[in-house]
Each structure stands twice: as structure tokens, then as C-alpha cells.
Amino acid sequence: MILTQIRSRLELTSFTNNDSEFPVQNHEVLAMHLEAGLELWFTKDRICVLKTYTSNHQFLLNWREDQIIISHLLDHLPFIYKNNLYFILFLDIDSKIMFSDIPLEINRVEKNSKVCRKYVLHCEEDLERVPFLQQKQTNVKREQDYELKFKNELLSNISLDPKILRIVEGYFEIGKLKKENKKVDNKSYILKFLKGDALS
């Protein structure tokens, strides 16, 4: 696995890496993270700190220091992020040259819940252990993006018959209601939608 795969997965699950939009605009805190090689990724309700370790010694000696730096960030976070702060430690180390005590240390790191939840990634399968980066969520987002694009293209087609446009709108409205776990009779709903008296 390479770092770009992790970054791509973060992007696909709506994370962004833009210091000027980061929820904490404390230049001292941001500089500390930058100097330590910590990448700050965030969504509207979650923050993920990413660090790459390229040697056994760097991982064994530095992860605790990096956690201390992250703890300074925790002090400044808005409330919504307090329990949604994660630390992803990427081991960019060849398995053949890993120390025998690395698996024990990985276990120790992931069980340590001080400051935030931590995930140590070394191979591609490890990505699936991070709930908010699972491929399933990525696929759902892709489907939603495709559906939105499809809907917009259909509804912006001015050459379509107005009745067809109403059916298309009704179809997407039914999908929305079903996602909200509301029972809908498709045929009667579409007929109501065509008459203009369907419930929104």
C-alpha cells in the first residue's frame, strides 16, 4: 500500500486537506502539526490526522510525541469534533525488515485511547478496519454522486415532455422517501405527483 491510496480513500469519503478551511485557525497549533509531518484531514463532523512512518525506529520512538502534538489540537477543537478525532499511522515499511516487536506495538497503539482513536495501517486490507473509510461507504458516495448527476441532466433537458419531467421528479422523490423509511405505493404516488397533489 502507498500513501496516495490512503489519501484517495480520504477524498472519496468527503475528507479535505485545506489548512485555510480547517476548523481550528490557530497558527501555532497548525505549525506544530506541519513541522511534525502530520496531515490534517477533515469533514463537517470528523477530523483525521495522518502520519507516515518510514522506519521501525521512527514509529517506535515518535508516535507518542505525535500524540502529544495532537492533544494540543484537541484543546482548540469545536465541540462537534471532540469525540470524532482520529489518528491514522501509516507504516511505509517493508514487511521483511519490520522488527518482531512491531506487531505488539501496533496492538498497544490501537488499544491506547488517550487523546483519540488510532488506526495503524500497513497493507491495503487495513483500510477496511477503519469504519469511516470502508469501501462500502465509498461506493455509496459514488452511487449518490452518479444519481445526482443523472437526475440533474434529466431535469435540465428542456426538450423532454413536461409530463415525463414530472414522472422523473416523482421517481426521485419516491427514492428519497424510501431512504427515510416511509412506505410508498409507487404507482399511486406517481399518479398523485402527476396531478400535483403528492405529499412532499
Side-chain angles (χ1 to χ4, degrees):
M1 184 170 68
I2 55 174
L3 183 60
T4 53
Q5 286 175 283
I6 300 173
R7 287 176 177 151
S8 293
R9 187 71 70 92
L10 283 161
E11 287 170 354
L12 283 168
T13 48
S14 301
F15 280 85
T16 188
N17 176 236
N18 184 341
D19 284 353
S20 65
E21 294 176 13
F22 191 69
V24 174
Q25 284 302 305
N26 180 310
H27 297 294
E28 187 181 330
V29 170
L30 294 174
M32 284 171 66
H33 283 75
L34 188 64
E35 286 168 22
L38 296 165
E39 295 182 22
L40 298 170
W41 291 81
F42 61 97
T43 65
K44 60 181 171 54
D45 55 9
R46 185 176 281 133
I47 291 176
C48 184
V49 181
L50 173 63
K51 170 77 180 259
T52 302
Y53 298 88
T54 55
S55 74
N56 292 292
H57 291 294
Q58 185 193 19
F59 170 60
L60 293 169
L61 299 174
N62 292 357
W63 77 263
R64 286 179 185 84
E65 289 178 22
D66 292 329
Q67 180 176 253
I68 292 167
I69 293 168
I70 294 169
S71 72
H72 292 292
L73 174 64
L74 192 62
D75 294 337
H76 299 286
L77 283 178
F79 182 76
I80 192 170
Y81 293 105
K82 295 281 186 186
N83 291 322
N84 290 305
L85 175 63
Y86 301 88
F87 183 18
I88 292 183
L89 301 88
F90 171 48
L91 304 186
D92 191 11
I93 308 167
D94 189 328
S95 300
K96 294 173 188 170
I97 59 168
M98 269 193 175
F99 291 161
S100 58
D101 56 345
I102 290 286
L104 281 173
E105 190 66 10
I106 289 171
N107 192 37
R108 202 173 289 126
V109 171
E110 293 195 335
K111 285 188 175 177
N112 179 314
S113 59
K114 287 179 182 174
V115 180
C116 61
R117 181 82 173 89
K118 300 166 197 68
Y119 296 95
V120 181
L121 308 183
H122 180 251
C123 60
E124 201 166 341
E125 291 74 36
D126 289 337
L127 273 171
E128 304 311 318
R129 294 188 301 105
V130 186
F132 55 88
L133 293 183
Q134 285 186 7
Q135 194 65 45
K136 184 179 174 185
Q137 286 199 14
T138 302
N139 289 339
V140 166
K141 185 179 185 307
R142 280 181 183 153
E143 284 170 20
Q144 288 170 343
D145 290 346
Y146 174 78
E147 188 177 293
L148 183 64
K149 185 180 176 187
F150 177 67
K151 178 183 174 182
N152 290 339
E153 283 181 14
L154 269 176
L155 295 178
S156 65
N157 188 341
I158 55 171
S159 63
L160 278 179
D161 183 285
K163 248 185 178 176
I164 300 290
L165 284 174
R166 295 289 285 161
I167 291 171
V168 170
E169 286 175 10
Y171 169 80
F172 285 108
E173 194 62 34
I174 287 170
K176 183 181 165 190
L177 291 170
K178 287 189 175 178
K179 282 177 188 169
E180 294 169 2
N181 292 321
K182 295 181 180 173
K183 290 186 178 178
V184 184
D185 175 16
N186 293 2
K187 185 177 176 183
S188 63
Y189 188 86
I190 289 288
L191 288 171
K192 283 182 182 179
F193 207 87
L194 282 168
K195 291 177 191 172
D197 59 355
L199 296 172
S200 58

